[in-house]
Amino acid sequence: MRHLPLFFDLQDRRVVVVGQGPAAARRAALARSAGAEVERLEAGFDDVEAYRGAAAAFVATGDADADATAARAARSAAVPVNVVDRPALCDFIMPAIVDRDDVVVAISTGGAAPVLATVLRQRLEAILPERLGALARLAKSFRAQVGALIAEPPHRRTLWRRLVEGPAAQLVLAGDDAGARRVMLGELDAARRREQDAARRGATPPGIAHIVGAGPGDPDLLTLRAAQLLQEADAILHDDLVPPAILARARRDAELVAVGKRNGRVRWTQAEIDAELVRRVRAGQTVVRLKAGDPFVFGRGGEEVEALRRAGLPVAVVPGITAALGCAASAGIPLTHRRLASAVTFVTARRADGRQDERWPALAAEGHTLAIYMGATEAASVRHRLLAAGASPSTPVAIVENGTRPDERVSTGPLGDLARLVVPPTFRGDAGPILIIVGEVAALAAAAAQPLLAEAS
Ligand code: SAH
């Protein structure tokens, strides 16, 4: 981020606008719409006293020398200055603006791509209702009452959400301010009674746990519901595999708790995680248990659901894009293929239970794709098990590291070389997760694929 976005209170402040053209006129109009007293300066740009005491100066003379002179004078008077189309002379830059009265969206590309800012603005214009400002005004008119009548922050937050998303909002956006006000009074009353009931029973009503899949790492691959829940959560208990780019989508006040483990570092046990979920939901929190990929694919989400059900607490599951699907898409590998593969199996490389080895002959069959999870330290044994089960050493394999993330790497080769293709984490420093895809389809990996070996040597 090159510029910090701030919203400047110009109400009744003096703003100097330098220049005569349409650009200067637009800046003057904009400053007036924010309540500023605009003073147009059309000569004597170098007069420092003309700027003294102003809140800001906008310069648009259309002439490079005159612009520089005005900017210098404004700065000598300690007035922050914006020069149209001359970023090098600016103390602050003007964003593209979506204006809905009190609700304002400002978009900046730091001057890098003004057209991109314009396009984003058009998109936001299209989706933000015209009467959004009226909704904000209505909410403002209830702030004091809600603050006085509803004591608990979570109750307040629930009420505000109902107000800005529910029937009251629909009415105000449709132009019925009086109807909206009536609905809001009803909602406020109901919320107050709910809170009093809870206080009388001496217990907070339980919250809810959402067991949520975060997908393979690209934040754009979150489901809409996952993104919404990240905005509603009081607390987010997340695995280490969930990248910062996704955690950044969380509500600013949400408590982030890292419960994951990676290679050797201390971690919470599953029982501790289950207990923490139960404790927080009992205390009334909306808890998101955020897991890489899908919570029910090698995610132990099932155990968490059981623990919450046993405690009689509400729990819901939100699916996510599992690593196999994310990695396959991004590496260009169709997991099934009319000619090459008619079945696909998601399988873990770990041998938690020796008996599982008996299944490998079926997995090694031709025309069958394997998506192998947790194989980073098991490559040699995966290779051994597949060859022993009758797979050909020439069967194509693809290894996708950090699938769907900016640092994704794909390498390909024959099954016989698998142990060499997968560099163990201990030799790779802070290595990312890897997925191994075995089967004829692996040969279709995008041409960009490069062997990990070359880079490791
Ligand atoms: N529930 C998760 C799997 C968790 S097990 C899911 O549905 O994807 C952890 C394993 O997932 C890792 O060892 C790795 O094999 C795989 N994995 C998760 N994210 C990955 C990614 N971005 N790229 C490659 N493999 C990934």
PDB file of all heavy atoms in Angstrom, residues 215-218 239 241 291-300 320-324 327 350 372-376 400-405 432-436, ligand 1:
ATOM      1  N   GLY A 215     -10.662 -23.667   1.170  1.00  0.00           N
ATOM      2  CA  GLY A 215     -10.131 -23.886  -0.171  1.00  0.00           C
ATOM      3  C   GLY A 215      -8.623 -24.022  -0.142  1.00  0.00           C
ATOM      4  O   GLY A 215      -7.996 -23.988   0.919  1.00  0.00           O
ATOM      5  N   PRO A 216      -8.013 -24.167  -1.309  1.00  0.00           N
ATOM      6  CA  PRO A 216      -6.594 -24.515  -1.377  1.00  0.00           C
ATOM      7  C   PRO A 216      -5.634 -23.349  -1.141  1.00  0.00           C
ATOM      8  O   PRO A 216      -4.433 -23.576  -1.051  1.00  0.00           O
ATOM      9  CB  PRO A 216      -6.445 -25.039  -2.806  1.00  0.00           C
ATOM     10  CG  PRO A 216      -7.545 -24.404  -3.571  1.00  0.00           C
ATOM     11  CD  PRO A 216      -8.678 -24.197  -2.625  1.00  0.00           C
ATOM     12  N   GLY A 217      -6.110 -22.120  -1.046  1.00  0.00           N
ATOM     13  CA  GLY A 217      -5.179 -21.039  -0.728  1.00  0.00           C
ATOM     14  C   GLY A 217      -5.476 -19.730  -1.431  1.00  0.00           C
ATOM     15  O   GLY A 217      -5.288 -18.667  -0.855  1.00  0.00           O
ATOM     16  N   ASP A 218      -5.958 -19.785  -2.671  1.00  0.00           N
ATOM     17  CA  ASP A 218      -6.310 -18.557  -3.380  1.00  0.00           C
ATOM     18  C   ASP A 218      -7.588 -17.990  -2.745  1.00  0.00           C
ATOM     19  O   ASP A 218      -8.610 -18.669  -2.723  1.00  0.00           O
ATOM     20  CB  ASP A 218      -6.537 -18.893  -4.868  1.00  0.00           C
ATOM     21  CG  ASP A 218      -6.972 -17.683  -5.682  1.00  0.00           C
ATOM     22  OD1 ASP A 218      -7.300 -16.636  -5.082  1.00  0.00           O
ATOM     23  OD2 ASP A 218      -6.996 -17.791  -6.919  1.00  0.00           O
ATOM     24  N   ASP A 239      -6.230 -23.449  10.850  1.00  0.00           N
ATOM     25  CA  ASP A 239      -5.042 -24.276  10.648  1.00  0.00           C
ATOM     26  C   ASP A 239      -3.891 -23.405  10.153  1.00  0.00           C
ATOM     27  O   ASP A 239      -4.114 -22.358   9.570  1.00  0.00           O
ATOM     28  CB  ASP A 239      -5.314 -25.320   9.559  1.00  0.00           C
ATOM     29  CG  ASP A 239      -6.322 -26.352  10.017  1.00  0.00           C
ATOM     30  OD1 ASP A 239      -6.563 -26.440  11.227  1.00  0.00           O
ATOM     31  OD2 ASP A 239      -6.855 -27.060   9.147  1.00  0.00           O
ATOM     32  N   LEU A 241      -2.207 -24.155   7.640  1.00  0.00           N
ATOM     33  CA  LEU A 241      -2.227 -24.205   6.175  1.00  0.00           C
ATOM     34  C   LEU A 241      -3.063 -23.080   5.556  1.00  0.00           C
ATOM     35  O   LEU A 241      -2.968 -22.824   4.370  1.00  0.00           O
ATOM     36  CB  LEU A 241      -2.816 -25.549   5.715  1.00  0.00           C
ATOM     37  CG  LEU A 241      -1.840 -26.651   5.341  1.00  0.00           C
ATOM     38  CD1 LEU A 241      -2.594 -27.872   4.823  1.00  0.00           C
ATOM     39  CD2 LEU A 241      -0.838 -26.185   4.300  1.00  0.00           C
ATOM     40  N   LYS A 291     -10.600 -24.403   7.963  1.00  0.00           N
ATOM     41  CA  LYS A 291      -9.674 -25.485   7.602  1.00  0.00           C
ATOM     42  C   LYS A 291      -9.288 -25.378   6.145  1.00  0.00           C
ATOM     43  O   LYS A 291     -10.095 -24.979   5.309  1.00  0.00           O
ATOM     44  CB  LYS A 291     -10.369 -26.829   7.806  1.00  0.00           C
ATOM     45  CG  LYS A 291     -10.682 -27.125   9.234  1.00  0.00           C
ATOM     46  CD  LYS A 291     -11.705 -28.243   9.278  1.00  0.00           C
ATOM     47  CE  LYS A 291     -11.720 -28.883  10.629  1.00  0.00           C
ATOM     48  NZ  LYS A 291     -10.453 -29.481  11.001  1.00  0.00           N
ATOM     49  N   ALA A 292      -8.055 -25.776   5.852  1.00  0.00           N
ATOM     50  CA  ALA A 292      -7.611 -25.793   4.454  1.00  0.00           C
ATOM     51  C   ALA A 292      -8.516 -26.727   3.652  1.00  0.00           C
ATOM     52  O   ALA A 292      -9.004 -27.733   4.168  1.00  0.00           O
ATOM     53  CB  ALA A 292      -6.175 -26.276   4.376  1.00  0.00           C
ATOM     54  N   GLY A 293      -8.731 -26.376   2.404  1.00  0.00           N
ATOM     55  CA  GLY A 293      -9.476 -27.252   1.498  1.00  0.00           C
ATOM     56  C   GLY A 293     -10.897 -27.434   1.944  1.00  0.00           C
ATOM     57  O   GLY A 293     -11.599 -26.471   2.243  1.00  0.00           O
ATOM     58  N   ASP A 294     -11.317 -28.703   2.008  1.00  0.00           N
ATOM     59  CA  ASP A 294     -12.660 -29.038   2.476  1.00  0.00           C
ATOM     60  C   ASP A 294     -12.556 -29.658   3.866  1.00  0.00           C
ATOM     61  O   ASP A 294     -11.655 -30.455   4.123  1.00  0.00           O
ATOM     62  CB  ASP A 294     -13.305 -30.047   1.510  1.00  0.00           C
ATOM     63  CG  ASP A 294     -14.697 -30.420   1.966  1.00  0.00           C
ATOM     64  OD1 ASP A 294     -14.843 -31.367   2.780  1.00  0.00           O
ATOM     65  OD2 ASP A 294     -15.658 -29.752   1.537  1.00  0.00           O
ATOM     66  N   PRO A 295     -13.472 -29.291   4.773  1.00  0.00           N
ATOM     67  CA  PRO A 295     -13.333 -29.783   6.150  1.00  0.00           C
ATOM     68  C   PRO A 295     -13.541 -31.295   6.291  1.00  0.00           C
ATOM     69  O   PRO A 295     -13.086 -31.879   7.272  1.00  0.00           O
ATOM     70  CB  PRO A 295     -14.415 -29.016   6.920  1.00  0.00           C
ATOM     71  CG  PRO A 295     -15.296 -28.390   5.915  1.00  0.00           C
ATOM     72  CD  PRO A 295     -14.550 -28.314   4.627  1.00  0.00           C
ATOM     73  N   PHE A 296     -14.222 -31.902   5.302  1.00  0.00           N
ATOM     74  CA  PHE A 296     -14.509 -33.338   5.411  1.00  0.00           C
ATOM     75  C   PHE A 296     -13.583 -34.186   4.545  1.00  0.00           C
ATOM     76  O   PHE A 296     -13.801 -35.376   4.387  1.00  0.00           O
ATOM     77  CB  PHE A 296     -15.975 -33.612   5.022  1.00  0.00           C
ATOM     78  CG  PHE A 296     -16.962 -33.305   6.128  1.00  0.00           C
ATOM     79  CD1 PHE A 296     -18.328 -33.510   5.936  1.00  0.00           C
ATOM     80  CD2 PHE A 296     -16.539 -32.836   7.359  1.00  0.00           C
ATOM     81  CE1 PHE A 296     -19.241 -33.235   6.943  1.00  0.00           C
ATOM     82  CE2 PHE A 296     -17.444 -32.552   8.375  1.00  0.00           C
ATOM     83  CZ  PHE A 296     -18.805 -32.754   8.171  1.00  0.00           C
ATOM     84  N   VAL A 297     -12.549 -33.571   3.960  1.00  0.00           N
ATOM     85  CA  VAL A 297     -11.566 -34.359   3.214  1.00  0.00           C
ATOM     86  C   VAL A 297     -10.249 -34.261   3.982  1.00  0.00           C
ATOM     87  O   VAL A 297      -9.604 -33.206   3.997  1.00  0.00           O
ATOM     88  CB  VAL A 297     -11.392 -33.828   1.772  1.00  0.00           C
ATOM     89  CG1 VAL A 297     -10.317 -34.635   1.042  1.00  0.00           C
ATOM     90  CG2 VAL A 297     -12.711 -33.892   1.014  1.00  0.00           C
ATOM     91  N   PHE A 298      -9.867 -35.334   4.644  1.00  0.00           N
ATOM     92  CA  PHE A 298      -8.669 -35.353   5.484  1.00  0.00           C
ATOM     93  C   PHE A 298      -8.599 -34.120   6.379  1.00  0.00           C
ATOM     94  O   PHE A 298      -7.529 -33.530   6.564  1.00  0.00           O
ATOM     95  CB  PHE A 298      -7.404 -35.463   4.621  1.00  0.00           C
ATOM     96  CG  PHE A 298      -7.441 -36.628   3.687  1.00  0.00           C
ATOM     97  CD1 PHE A 298      -7.280 -36.459   2.321  1.00  0.00           C
ATOM     98  CD2 PHE A 298      -7.685 -37.896   4.175  1.00  0.00           C
ATOM     99  CE1 PHE A 298      -7.340 -37.536   1.454  1.00  0.00           C
ATOM    100  CE2 PHE A 298      -7.744 -38.992   3.308  1.00  0.00           C
ATOM    101  CZ  PHE A 298      -7.570 -38.801   1.951  1.00  0.00           C
ATOM    102  N   GLY A 299      -9.728 -33.718   6.932  1.00  0.00           N
ATOM    103  CA  GLY A 299      -9.751 -32.488   7.698  1.00  0.00           C
ATOM    104  C   GLY A 299     -10.185 -32.677   9.148  1.00  0.00           C
ATOM    105  O   GLY A 299     -10.172 -31.731   9.921  1.00  0.00           O
ATOM    106  N   ARG A 300     -10.585 -33.861   9.524  1.00  0.00           N
ATOM    107  CA  ARG A 300     -11.064 -34.158  10.880  1.00  0.00           C
ATOM    108  C   ARG A 300     -12.261 -33.300  11.260  1.00  0.00           C
ATOM    109  O   ARG A 300     -12.571 -33.145  12.445  1.00  0.00           O
ATOM    110  CB  ARG A 300      -9.922 -34.010  11.901  1.00  0.00           C
ATOM    111  CG  ARG A 300      -8.728 -34.881  11.511  1.00  0.00           C
ATOM    112  CD  ARG A 300      -7.693 -34.978  12.588  1.00  0.00           C
ATOM    113  NE  ARG A 300      -8.147 -35.800  13.725  1.00  0.00           N
ATOM    114  CZ  ARG A 300      -7.328 -36.212  14.692  1.00  0.00           C
ATOM    115  NH1 ARG A 300      -6.051 -35.880  14.658  1.00  0.00           N
ATOM    116  NH2 ARG A 300      -7.789 -36.933  15.685  1.00  0.00           N
ATOM    117  N   GLY A 320     -15.537 -26.686   1.129  1.00  0.00           N
ATOM    118  CA  GLY A 320     -14.521 -25.870   0.456  1.00  0.00           C
ATOM    119  C   GLY A 320     -13.950 -26.647  -0.711  1.00  0.00           C
ATOM    120  O   GLY A 320     -14.185 -27.853  -0.833  1.00  0.00           O
ATOM    121  N   ILE A 321     -13.207 -25.965  -1.543  1.00  0.00           N
ATOM    122  CA  ILE A 321     -12.560 -26.642  -2.667  1.00  0.00           C
ATOM    123  C   ILE A 321     -11.361 -27.396  -2.130  1.00  0.00           C
ATOM    124  O   ILE A 321     -10.430 -26.799  -1.586  1.00  0.00           O
ATOM    125  CB  ILE A 321     -12.125 -25.631  -3.737  1.00  0.00           C
ATOM    126  CG1 ILE A 321     -13.369 -24.983  -4.348  1.00  0.00           C
ATOM    127  CG2 ILE A 321     -11.272 -26.303  -4.808  1.00  0.00           C
ATOM    128  CD1 ILE A 321     -13.078 -23.963  -5.412  1.00  0.00           C
ATOM    129  N   THR A 322     -11.401 -28.718  -2.247  1.00  0.00           N
ATOM    130  CA  THR A 322     -10.333 -29.529  -1.691  1.00  0.00           C
ATOM    131  C   THR A 322      -9.069 -29.412  -2.551  1.00  0.00           C
ATOM    132  O   THR A 322      -9.130 -29.061  -3.735  1.00  0.00           O
ATOM    133  CB  THR A 322     -10.794 -30.990  -1.552  1.00  0.00           C
ATOM    134  OG1 THR A 322      -9.800 -31.704  -0.831  1.00  0.00           O
ATOM    135  CG2 THR A 322     -11.000 -31.649  -2.909  1.00  0.00           C
ATOM    136  N   ALA A 323      -7.902 -29.676  -1.913  1.00  0.00           N
ATOM    137  CA  ALA A 323      -6.607 -29.493  -2.598  1.00  0.00           C
ATOM    138  C   ALA A 323      -6.570 -30.188  -3.958  1.00  0.00           C
ATOM    139  O   ALA A 323      -6.064 -29.636  -4.929  1.00  0.00           O
ATOM    140  CB  ALA A 323      -5.480 -30.000  -1.709  1.00  0.00           C
ATOM    141  N   ALA A 324      -7.122 -31.408  -4.033  1.00  0.00           N
ATOM    142  CA  ALA A 324      -7.047 -32.151  -5.297  1.00  0.00           C
ATOM    143  C   ALA A 324      -7.722 -31.371  -6.425  1.00  0.00           C
ATOM    144  O   ALA A 324      -7.188 -31.271  -7.527  1.00  0.00           O
ATOM    145  CB  ALA A 324      -7.719 -33.514  -5.140  1.00  0.00           C
ATOM    146  N   CYS A 327      -5.628 -27.970  -7.056  1.00  0.00           N
ATOM    147  CA  CYS A 327      -4.325 -28.216  -7.686  1.00  0.00           C
ATOM    148  C   CYS A 327      -4.510 -28.703  -9.119  1.00  0.00           C
ATOM    149  O   CYS A 327      -3.790 -28.287 -10.027  1.00  0.00           O
ATOM    150  CB  CYS A 327      -3.531 -29.253  -6.894  1.00  0.00           C
ATOM    151  SG  CYS A 327      -3.003 -28.660  -5.282  1.00  0.00           S
ATOM    152  N   ARG A 350      -0.147 -41.137   4.362  1.00  0.00           N
ATOM    153  CA  ARG A 350       0.224 -41.564   5.719  1.00  0.00           C
ATOM    154  C   ARG A 350      -0.292 -42.963   6.001  1.00  0.00           C
ATOM    155  O   ARG A 350      -1.376 -43.323   5.574  1.00  0.00           O
ATOM    156  CB  ARG A 350      -0.395 -40.611   6.756  1.00  0.00           C
ATOM    157  CG  ARG A 350       0.163 -39.229   6.703  1.00  0.00           C
ATOM    158  CD  ARG A 350       1.220 -39.016   7.774  1.00  0.00           C
ATOM    159  NE  ARG A 350       1.894 -37.739   7.548  1.00  0.00           N
ATOM    160  CZ  ARG A 350       1.415 -36.563   7.934  1.00  0.00           C
ATOM    161  NH1 ARG A 350       0.271 -36.517   8.602  1.00  0.00           N
ATOM    162  NH2 ARG A 350       2.063 -35.454   7.676  1.00  0.00           N
ATOM    163  N   ILE A 372      -2.914 -37.791  -4.126  1.00  0.00           N
ATOM    164  CA  ILE A 372      -2.333 -38.253  -2.861  1.00  0.00           C
ATOM    165  C   ILE A 372      -2.002 -37.058  -1.968  1.00  0.00           C
ATOM    166  O   ILE A 372      -1.185 -36.198  -2.309  1.00  0.00           O
ATOM    167  CB  ILE A 372      -1.069 -39.087  -3.121  1.00  0.00           C
ATOM    168  CG1 ILE A 372      -1.420 -40.243  -4.071  1.00  0.00           C
ATOM    169  CG2 ILE A 372      -0.490 -39.607  -1.816  1.00  0.00           C
ATOM    170  CD1 ILE A 372      -0.232 -41.099  -4.454  1.00  0.00           C
ATOM    171  N   TYR A 373      -2.665 -37.019  -0.806  1.00  0.00           N
ATOM    172  CA  TYR A 373      -2.467 -35.954   0.178  1.00  0.00           C
ATOM    173  C   TYR A 373      -1.374 -36.353   1.166  1.00  0.00           C
ATOM    174  O   TYR A 373      -1.143 -37.535   1.405  1.00  0.00           O
ATOM    175  CB  TYR A 373      -3.764 -35.713   0.969  1.00  0.00           C
ATOM    176  CG  TYR A 373      -4.897 -35.076   0.190  1.00  0.00           C
ATOM    177  CD1 TYR A 373      -5.527 -35.757  -0.842  1.00  0.00           C
ATOM    178  CD2 TYR A 373      -5.358 -33.802   0.513  1.00  0.00           C
ATOM    179  CE1 TYR A 373      -6.579 -35.172  -1.545  1.00  0.00           C
ATOM    180  CE2 TYR A 373      -6.415 -33.213  -0.170  1.00  0.00           C
ATOM    181  CZ  TYR A 373      -7.021 -33.909  -1.206  1.00  0.00           C
ATOM    182  OH  TYR A 373      -8.050 -33.328  -1.891  1.00  0.00           O
ATOM    183  N   MET A 374      -0.771 -35.371   1.779  1.00  0.00           N
ATOM    184  CA  MET A 374       0.192 -35.580   2.870  1.00  0.00           C
ATOM    185  C   MET A 374       1.339 -36.491   2.461  1.00  0.00           C
ATOM    186  O   MET A 374       1.771 -37.344   3.221  1.00  0.00           O
ATOM    187  CB  MET A 374      -0.524 -36.127   4.117  1.00  0.00           C
ATOM    188  CG  MET A 374      -1.469 -35.092   4.709  1.00  0.00           C
ATOM    189  SD  MET A 374      -2.475 -35.717   6.049  1.00  0.00           S
ATOM    190  CE  MET A 374      -3.877 -36.368   5.169  1.00  0.00           C
ATOM    191  N   GLY A 375       1.844 -36.252   1.252  1.00  0.00           N
ATOM    192  CA  GLY A 375       2.878 -37.142   0.736  1.00  0.00           C
ATOM    193  C   GLY A 375       4.291 -36.580   0.816  1.00  0.00           C
ATOM    194  O   GLY A 375       5.236 -37.221   0.364  1.00  0.00           O
ATOM    195  N   ALA A 376       4.455 -35.403   1.401  1.00  0.00           N
ATOM    196  CA  ALA A 376       5.760 -34.733   1.341  1.00  0.00           C
ATOM    197  C   ALA A 376       6.882 -35.604   1.896  1.00  0.00           C
ATOM    198  O   ALA A 376       7.980 -35.628   1.349  1.00  0.00           O
ATOM    199  CB  ALA A 376       5.707 -33.406   2.083  1.00  0.00           C
ATOM    200  N   VAL A 400       2.271 -30.989  -7.216  1.00  0.00           N
ATOM    201  CA  VAL A 400       1.849 -29.590  -7.164  1.00  0.00           C
ATOM    202  C   VAL A 400       2.140 -29.063  -5.765  1.00  0.00           C
ATOM    203  O   VAL A 400       1.583 -29.554  -4.781  1.00  0.00           O
ATOM    204  CB  VAL A 400       0.350 -29.436  -7.478  1.00  0.00           C
ATOM    205  CG1 VAL A 400      -0.033 -27.962  -7.518  1.00  0.00           C
ATOM    206  CG2 VAL A 400       0.004 -30.122  -8.795  1.00  0.00           C
ATOM    207  N   GLU A 401       3.037 -28.095  -5.680  1.00  0.00           N
ATOM    208  CA  GLU A 401       3.377 -27.506  -4.388  1.00  0.00           C
ATOM    209  C   GLU A 401       2.706 -26.140  -4.296  1.00  0.00           C
ATOM    210  O   GLU A 401       2.689 -25.374  -5.264  1.00  0.00           O
ATOM    211  CB  GLU A 401       4.900 -27.350  -4.272  1.00  0.00           C
ATOM    212  CG  GLU A 401       5.321 -26.684  -2.966  1.00  0.00           C
ATOM    213  CD  GLU A 401       6.836 -26.569  -2.811  1.00  0.00           C
ATOM    214  OE1 GLU A 401       7.567 -27.040  -3.691  1.00  0.00           O
ATOM    215  OE2 GLU A 401       7.269 -25.996  -1.795  1.00  0.00           O
ATOM    216  N   ASN A 402       2.137 -25.823  -3.138  1.00  0.00           N
ATOM    217  CA  ASN A 402       1.461 -24.530  -2.939  1.00  0.00           C
ATOM    218  C   ASN A 402       0.409 -24.266  -4.007  1.00  0.00           C
ATOM    219  O   ASN A 402       0.331 -23.158  -4.566  1.00  0.00           O
ATOM    220  CB  ASN A 402       2.474 -23.379  -2.945  1.00  0.00           C
ATOM    221  CG  ASN A 402       3.320 -23.372  -1.688  1.00  0.00           C
ATOM    222  OD1 ASN A 402       2.802 -23.557  -0.589  1.00  0.00           O
ATOM    223  ND2 ASN A 402       4.613 -23.181  -1.844  1.00  0.00           N
ATOM    224  N   GLY A 403      -0.368 -25.294  -4.327  1.00  0.00           N
ATOM    225  CA  GLY A 403      -1.360 -25.177  -5.397  1.00  0.00           C
ATOM    226  C   GLY A 403      -2.279 -23.974  -5.222  1.00  0.00           C
ATOM    227  O   GLY A 403      -2.700 -23.676  -4.111  1.00  0.00           O
ATOM    228  N   THR A 404      -2.524 -23.253  -6.308  1.00  0.00           N
ATOM    229  CA  THR A 404      -3.397 -22.062  -6.405  1.00  0.00           C
ATOM    230  C   THR A 404      -2.840 -20.827  -5.695  1.00  0.00           C
ATOM    231  O   THR A 404      -3.499 -19.800  -5.655  1.00  0.00           O
ATOM    232  CB  THR A 404      -4.844 -22.282  -5.910  1.00  0.00           C
ATOM    233  OG1 THR A 404      -4.890 -22.174  -4.484  1.00  0.00           O
ATOM    234  CG2 THR A 404      -5.429 -23.610  -6.366  1.00  0.00           C
ATOM    235  N   ARG A 405      -1.630 -20.930  -5.143  1.00  0.00           N
ATOM    236  CA  ARG A 405      -1.040 -19.750  -4.482  1.00  0.00           C
ATOM    237  C   ARG A 405      -0.031 -19.090  -5.416  1.00  0.00           C
ATOM    238  O   ARG A 405       0.402 -19.701  -6.388  1.00  0.00           O
ATOM    239  CB  ARG A 405      -0.339 -20.176  -3.198  1.00  0.00           C
ATOM    240  CG  ARG A 405      -1.317 -20.844  -2.262  1.00  0.00           C
ATOM    241  CD  ARG A 405      -0.642 -21.358  -1.028  1.00  0.00           C
ATOM    242  NE  ARG A 405      -1.587 -22.211  -0.318  1.00  0.00           N
ATOM    243  CZ  ARG A 405      -1.456 -22.591   0.934  1.00  0.00           C
ATOM    244  NH1 ARG A 405      -0.416 -22.195   1.619  1.00  0.00           N
ATOM    245  NH2 ARG A 405      -2.366 -23.353   1.491  1.00  0.00           N
ATOM    246  N   GLY A 432       6.037 -25.545   1.285  1.00  0.00           N
ATOM    247  CA  GLY A 432       4.581 -25.498   1.302  1.00  0.00           C
ATOM    248  C   GLY A 432       3.998 -26.895   1.158  1.00  0.00           C
ATOM    249  O   GLY A 432       4.727 -27.867   0.969  1.00  0.00           O
ATOM    250  N   PRO A 433       2.666 -27.001   1.253  1.00  0.00           N
ATOM    251  CA  PRO A 433       2.021 -28.304   1.113  1.00  0.00           C
ATOM    252  C   PRO A 433       2.152 -28.819  -0.322  1.00  0.00           C
ATOM    253  O   PRO A 433       2.198 -28.030  -1.257  1.00  0.00           O
ATOM    254  CB  PRO A 433       0.564 -27.990   1.434  1.00  0.00           C
ATOM    255  CG  PRO A 433       0.396 -26.549   1.072  1.00  0.00           C
ATOM    256  CD  PRO A 433       1.712 -25.907   1.379  1.00  0.00           C
ATOM    257  N   ILE A 434       2.246 -30.131  -0.463  1.00  0.00           N
ATOM    258  CA  ILE A 434       2.281 -30.687  -1.816  1.00  0.00           C
ATOM    259  C   ILE A 434       1.205 -31.746  -2.010  1.00  0.00           C
ATOM    260  O   ILE A 434       0.811 -32.445  -1.068  1.00  0.00           O
ATOM    261  CB  ILE A 434       3.655 -31.304  -2.178  1.00  0.00           C
ATOM    262  CG1 ILE A 434       3.917 -32.550  -1.335  1.00  0.00           C
ATOM    263  CG2 ILE A 434       4.781 -30.299  -2.045  1.00  0.00           C
ATOM    264  CD1 ILE A 434       4.810 -33.518  -2.065  1.00  0.00           C
ATOM    265  N   LEU A 435       0.748 -31.837  -3.239  1.00  0.00           N
ATOM    266  CA  LEU A 435      -0.201 -32.862  -3.635  1.00  0.00           C
ATOM    267  C   LEU A 435       0.434 -33.647  -4.783  1.00  0.00           C
ATOM    268  O   LEU A 435       1.005 -33.048  -5.702  1.00  0.00           O
ATOM    269  CB  LEU A 435      -1.507 -32.211  -4.105  1.00  0.00           C
ATOM    270  CG  LEU A 435      -2.595 -33.235  -4.402  1.00  0.00           C
ATOM    271  CD1 LEU A 435      -3.423 -33.477  -3.143  1.00  0.00           C
ATOM    272  CD2 LEU A 435      -3.475 -32.777  -5.541  1.00  0.00           C
ATOM    273  N   ILE A 436       0.343 -34.977  -4.684  1.00  0.00           N
ATOM    274  CA  ILE A 436       0.916 -35.821  -5.740  1.00  0.00           C
ATOM    275  C   ILE A 436      -0.232 -36.391  -6.576  1.00  0.00           C
ATOM    276  O   ILE A 436      -1.168 -36.975  -6.026  1.00  0.00           O
ATOM    277  CB  ILE A 436       1.725 -36.984  -5.126  1.00  0.00           C
ATOM    278  CG1 ILE A 436       2.824 -36.441  -4.202  1.00  0.00           C
ATOM    279  CG2 ILE A 436       2.322 -37.861  -6.224  1.00  0.00           C
ATOM    280  CD1 ILE A 436       3.532 -37.524  -3.382  1.00  0.00           C
TER     281      ILE A 436
HETATM  282  N1  SAH B   1      -8.809 -30.642   4.098  1.00  0.00           N
HETATM  283  C1  SAH B   1      -7.722 -30.410   3.176  1.00  0.00           C
HETATM  284  C2  SAH B   1      -6.609 -31.421   3.331  1.00  0.00           C
HETATM  285  C3  SAH B   1      -5.859 -31.306   4.611  1.00  0.00           C
HETATM  286  S1  SAH B   1      -4.580 -32.487   4.750  1.00  0.00           S
HETATM  287  C4  SAH B   1      -8.272 -30.370   1.744  1.00  0.00           C
HETATM  288  O1  SAH B   1      -9.432 -30.721   1.527  1.00  0.00           O
HETATM  289  O2  SAH B   1      -7.537 -29.966   0.849  1.00  0.00           O
HETATM  290  C5  SAH B   1      -3.183 -31.527   4.282  1.00  0.00           C
HETATM  291  C6  SAH B   1      -2.712 -31.923   2.891  1.00  0.00           C
HETATM  292  O3  SAH B   1      -3.512 -31.271   1.917  1.00  0.00           O
HETATM  293  C7  SAH B   1      -1.317 -31.465   2.564  1.00  0.00           C
HETATM  294  O4  SAH B   1      -0.352 -32.371   3.078  1.00  0.00           O
HETATM  295  C8  SAH B   1      -1.331 -31.472   1.055  1.00  0.00           C
HETATM  296  O5  SAH B   1      -1.195 -32.783   0.557  1.00  0.00           O
HETATM  297  C9  SAH B   1      -2.749 -31.032   0.755  1.00  0.00           C
HETATM  298  N2  SAH B   1      -2.857 -29.594   0.424  1.00  0.00           N
HETATM  299  C10 SAH B   1      -3.610 -28.673   1.046  1.00  0.00           C
HETATM  300  N3  SAH B   1      -3.508 -27.472   0.431  1.00  0.00           N
HETATM  301  C11 SAH B   1      -2.669 -27.654  -0.613  1.00  0.00           C
HETATM  302  C12 SAH B   1      -2.153 -26.804  -1.634  1.00  0.00           C
HETATM  303  N4  SAH B   1      -2.493 -25.499  -1.688  1.00  0.00           N
HETATM  304  N5  SAH B   1      -1.308 -27.325  -2.545  1.00  0.00           N
HETATM  305  C13 SAH B   1      -0.952 -28.627  -2.500  1.00  0.00           C
HETATM  306  N6  SAH B   1      -1.408 -29.469  -1.563  1.00  0.00           N
HETATM  307  C14 SAH B   1      -2.254 -29.011  -0.632  1.00  0.00           C
END
